[in-house]
Amino acid sequence: GAVVSQHPSWVICKSGTSVKIECRSLDFQATTMFWYRQFPKQSLMLMATSNEGSKATYEQGVEKDKFLINHASLTLSTLTVTSAHPEDSSFYICSASPGNSYEQYFGPGTRLTVT
Amino acid sequence: ELKVEQNPLFLSMQEGKNYTIYCNYSTTSDRLYWYRQDPGKSLESLFVLLSNGAVKQEGRLMASLDTKARLSTLHITAAVHDLSATYFCAVDIGGGADGLTFGKGTHLIIQP
């Protein structure tokens, strides 16, 4: 149990375009989902916390107008990178947490390359 | 601001040896997580430590938590090559599920 999927697993896009990444909890309802970013050879950095039916909470330094997060259902959160630039190239990983649980289940990640 | 520090950041060791990775954090927390990451992959959960004095073991890995010292350790016993990976500790300070703050990771290479 506790499987989280992401789609796509990798994507290449041109500078200035937008990319949407989906994060799904497959066998549980996720009250909260998190989005992390990992640059090569670095650690994971929390970008935002997404709660179903409410606005996402962004970490300091993360542009909410650039990284649009929607958590429309208890099994799906989406991250849209708008007007992507090469510096947005990174490994984006989501995690999902069932209600009232300390557990976080991580997705397989989405590798974004902006050319 | 919560800070999580791991050391060492890089470790090369021989098979059969023992070693310990340390994780210090700056703010009171009762939840400490250890993850493994293989190159190009996402995170694999190893341990969740929920209380002071917690000790968990799985195979050649053992993790412990001292909340008073704000210190967790990941001990590797009789290392084997398959344990080569990057290991992260992470801390959650929220009352419920909260975003995690990660250490920089320990890149572990185990040589035959």
Side-chain angles (χ1 to χ4, degrees):
Chain A
V3 178
V4 175
S5 70
Q6 281 184 243
H7 178 80
S9 55
W10 61 270
V11 57
I12 301 173
C13 71
K14 292 186 176 181
S15 186
T17 62
S18 296
V19 174
K20 180 186 285 188
I21 302 170
E22 292 184 348
C23 176
R24 294 182 184 272
S25 56
L26 299 185
D27 50 5
F28 66 98
Q29 292 187 328
T31 306
T32 307
M33 289 184 171
F34 304 93
W35 288 95
Y36 296 85
R37 180 168 55 183
Q38 184 180 32
F39 292 110
K41 299 189 184 302
Q42 295 189 24
S43 186
L44 280 77
M45 296 295 293
L46 178 66
M47 298 176 67
T49 300
S50 168
N51 291 298
E52 186 265 339
S54 63
K55 290 184 178 180
T57 302
Y58 291 82
E59 295 300 301
Q60 192 173 9
V62 178
E63 300 175 57
K64 62 180 181 181
D65 294 330
K66 180 172 182 62
F67 298 99
L68 302 180
I69 292 173
N70 184 276
H71 193 157
S73 78
L74 286 172
T75 60
L76 172 65
S77 177
T78 60
L79 168 68
T80 301
V81 183
T82 62
S83 187
H85 290 284
E87 56 265 33
D88 298 323
S89 298
S90 187
F91 194 39
Y92 291 86
I93 306 174
C94 73
S95 71
S97 181
N100 298 318
S101 172
Y102 58 82
E103 289 282 4
Q104 286 197 26
Y105 302 99
F106 283 82
T110 297
R111 191 163 304 281
L112 170 64
T113 302
V114 184
T115 61
Chain B
E1 179 189 352
L2 171 62
K3 293 183 179 180
V4 181
E5 294 185 354
Q6 277 181 248
N7 71 83
L9 298 182
F10 180 82
L11 177 58
S12 178
M13 55 192 291
Q14 289 185 318
E15 280 190 327
K17 300 291 186 181
N18 304 331
Y19 212 81
T20 301
I21 299 170
Y22 299 88
C23 176
N24 289 92
Y25 53 97
S26 61
T27 303
T28 300
S29 172
D30 289 329
R31 285 194 292 274
L32 192 294
Y33 303 74
W34 284 99
Y35 295 94
R36 168 182 172 147
Q37 186 177 39
D38 291 300
K41 304 290 187 181
S42 186
L43 301 183
E44 173 189 351
S45 179
L46 296 175
F47 302 107
V48 182
L49 303 169
L50 299 176
S51 61
N52 186 42
V55 177
K56 289 191 175 181
Q57 182 165 5
E58 181 73 35
R60 300 175 187 274
L61 301 179
M62 183 174 70
S64 65
L65 177 61
D66 180 343
T67 58
K68 294 180 181 178
R70 300 177 185 169
L71 170 68
S72 180
T73 61
L74 179 67
H75 187 74
I76 302 160
T77 301
V80 293
H81 178 68
D82 286 352
L83 291 178
S84 297
T86 299
Y87 293 85
F88 292 97
C89 65
V91 176
D92 165 12
I93 62 172
D98 209 346
L100 300 181
T101 299
F102 283 82
K104 290 186 176 181
T106 297
H107 183 49
L108 175 63
I109 296 176
I110 300 171
Q111 299 174 348

